[in-house]
Amino acid sequence: MKTSILTSAIGLALLFLLNGCEFFSATGSSKAVGVNATGIAYEIVVVAKPDIWNDSVGTVIKNELIAEVPGLPQDEPSMRVMQVAPDDFNGMLTYVRNILVVDVNESQYTKVSVRTENDRWANGQAVVYLSAPARDSLSTYLQQHHGMLVKYYTQVEMERLAKYYKKTYSSRVYEKLKDKFGIGLNVPEDFSSYKDTTDFFWATNDTRVGQTYIAVYTFPYTDKYTFTGDYLIAKRDSVMRLYVPGSFPGSYMRTTEYVTYTPVSLQGKYCGVLRGLWDTYGDNMGGPFVSYARLDEANRRVIVTEGFVYAPETDKRSYIRRIEAALHTLQLSEEAAGTALDESQAALQ
């Protein structure tokens, strides 16, 4: 399987845009009023002339947007892409939630530039403009900054869903985690089943198809080497072996593939993100997982919130993204409750 680093901190995702190009903050003289963005999550409309889209630079953009999602057992594309010519970009197409506008014009631009704009034609919309004097320069730039577009749109989608979870969530799980660990975590409201032990909590939607789980545990913080992929994987395996048994005696969950460890910013603080695959020793179960580890300085402990999926013979991208968005809502005891995640906007100030 190909591996790549996917960071959910959009500041890290767009930092590269500041090097070697012009970067403009979005202002937008006309904003949408009363029109909400349409389309499904991770769907994008690319506005580009056909000769550009069908050329090598279009291939680079297309391959970027449909690159496989890291940490899944099978290849699944990051985005669903539709291309439209500038002259045909009108009507309902302008209301799509994610839009990428590509413009190559030698007389108008002197270097590659990137800017973003929110709510340009519809509320809740994210637009990225790519401009360049020549196709070769744009193609080279995108290859040098591979992954930036997917990172940006993924973060935007995570923010959208996390914001939704702030309003619609499982109050039962929220109260259990608040009482047990002193944290706030908004998980999907269909998470109705849970298991609560002394040092470990997990909950699930308990469906026949696309079973999704959330797990929370803590351990004492000792030193900075705690926040490494190898350490957190070892800790994960020890905890899961103890608390997540399989269907047969002696079976237990374990990590089978450690895909990435990425440091990101969550609620303005350091967070270590693990992605990988799990299976059940002594049983026939497995799937992807994503794990967020944060330092609770006030209590000198590490809090781990994890989502994992069991969906055999079914695409798993939507399930793991759904639960990862819930991890974005994690708030420690000292953090203000109800603060919506807005990492991407803070990074662009």
Side-chain angles (χ1 to χ4, degrees):
M1 175 188 297
K2 298 179 182 177
T3 60
S4 61
I5 296 179
L6 175 64
T7 171
S8 62
I10 195 61
L12 297 178
L14 289 181
L15 180 61
F16 300 110
L17 302 181
L18 300 174
N19 299 318
C21 75
E22 297 175 359
F23 185 86
F24 301 92
S25 294
T27 55
S29 57
S30 62
K31 294 290 185 179
V33 178
V35 179
N36 293 325
T38 62
I40 61 176
Y42 299 94
E43 178 182 67
I44 183 170
V45 167
V46 179
V47 184
K49 294 179 179 179
D51 61 325
I52 293 175
W53 184 248
N54 295 323
D55 197 7
S56 58
V57 66
T59 300
V60 172
I61 295 172
K62 187 187 307 180
N63 290 340
E64 157 94 7
L65 295 174
I66 65 172
E68 65 182 80
V69 178
L72 297 182
Q74 69 278 333
D75 292 350
E76 296 185 51
S78 294
M79 307 285 294
R80 178 181 177 182
V81 182
M82 179 176 67
Q83 178 266 337
V84 61
D87 291 342
D88 297 326
F89 181 63
N90 51 51
M92 293 298 295
L93 286 175
T94 63
Y95 301 153
V96 175
R97 62 201 287 154
N98 302 314
I99 296 174
L100 173 63
V101 181
V102 182
D103 189 19
V104 179
N105 191 320
E106 184 178 6
S107 63
Q108 188 172 353
Y109 309 111
T110 59
K111 61 167 64 173
V112 176
S113 67
V114 182
R115 69 181 177 96
T116 68
E117 185 174 13
N118 295 328
D119 309 329
R120 176 63 181 87
W121 295 280
N123 297 319
Q125 188 177 63
V127 184
V128 175
Y129 300 87
L130 287 179
S131 304
R135 300 177 190 184
D136 289 346
S137 61
L138 180 55
S139 180
T140 299
Y141 181 80
L142 291 171
Q143 290 172 345
Q144 291 174 343
H145 302 91
H146 176 69
M148 69 174 188
L149 293 175
V150 169
K151 290 173 185 176
Y152 175 73
Y153 285 113
T154 297
Q155 180 62 27
V156 168
E157 291 289 7
M158 288 289 174
E159 289 178 4
R160 287 168 175 156
L161 191 50
K163 186 176 181 180
Y164 172 79
Y165 287 153
K166 288 289 187 177
K167 300 176 181 178
T168 306
Y169 58 91
S170 171
S171 58
R172 181 186 230 183
V173 172
Y174 185 92
E175 291 301 325
K176 285 287 183 180
L177 292 175
K178 182 179 178 182
D179 292 342
K180 185 176 184 65
F181 297 109
I183 64 172
L185 189 70
N186 304 83
V187 304
E189 60 181 343
D190 61 348
F191 275 54
S192 55
S193 299
Y194 65 89
K195 177 180 179 181
D196 189 358
T197 64
T198 304
D199 302 309
F200 183 83
F201 179 93
W202 67 328
T204 177
N205 57 359
D206 200 22
T207 60
R208 288 189 175 184
V209 178
Q211 292 180 24
T212 310
Y213 301 80
I214 191 84
V216 181
Y217 58 91
T218 70
F219 57 89
Y221 175 72
T222 54
D223 55 56
K224 63 181 181 180
Y225 298 106
T226 296
F227 287 90
T228 63
D230 290 341
Y231 186 97
L232 291 173
I233 284 291
K235 178 61 69 172
R236 177 186 189 275
D237 281 343
S238 66
V239 171
M240 295 303 179
R241 179 169 184 166
L242 184 62
Y243 293 112
V244 187
S247 303
F248 302 100
S251 60
Y252 55 87
M253 176 183 282
R254 62 181 179 179
T255 305
T256 56
E257 185 173 344
Y258 157 29
V259 178
T260 63
Y261 174 77
T262 309
V264 303
S265 175
L266 187 63
Q267 316 293 18
K269 300 293 182 63
Y270 182 95
C271 177
V273 179
L274 279 172
R275 298 180 191 280
L277 300 175
W278 64 273
D279 74 358
T280 305
Y281 174 79
D283 201 347
N284 188 27
M285 298 179 68
F289 76 88
V290 58
S291 176
Y292 281 42
R294 287 195 59 193
L295 174 61
D296 181 2
E297 297 182 67
N299 296 293
R300 298 292 295 176
R301 62 179 180 172
V302 176
I303 294 181
V304 177
T305 55
E306 174 177 320
F308 56 95
V309 173
Y310 177 62
E313 300 181 1
T314 304
D315 288 345
K316 300 161 184 63
R317 178 188 63 184
S318 296
Y319 297 120
I320 198 69
R321 282 173 165 173
R322 177 175 183 253
I323 198 60
E324 183 172 359
L327 303 185
H328 278 247
T329 69
L330 173 64
Q331 292 182 324
L332 305 185
S333 56
E334 69 272 17
E335 294 168 345
T339 302
L341 176 68
D342 202 7
E343 296 271 347
S344 63
Q345 298 313 307
L348 300 178
Q349 301 300 317

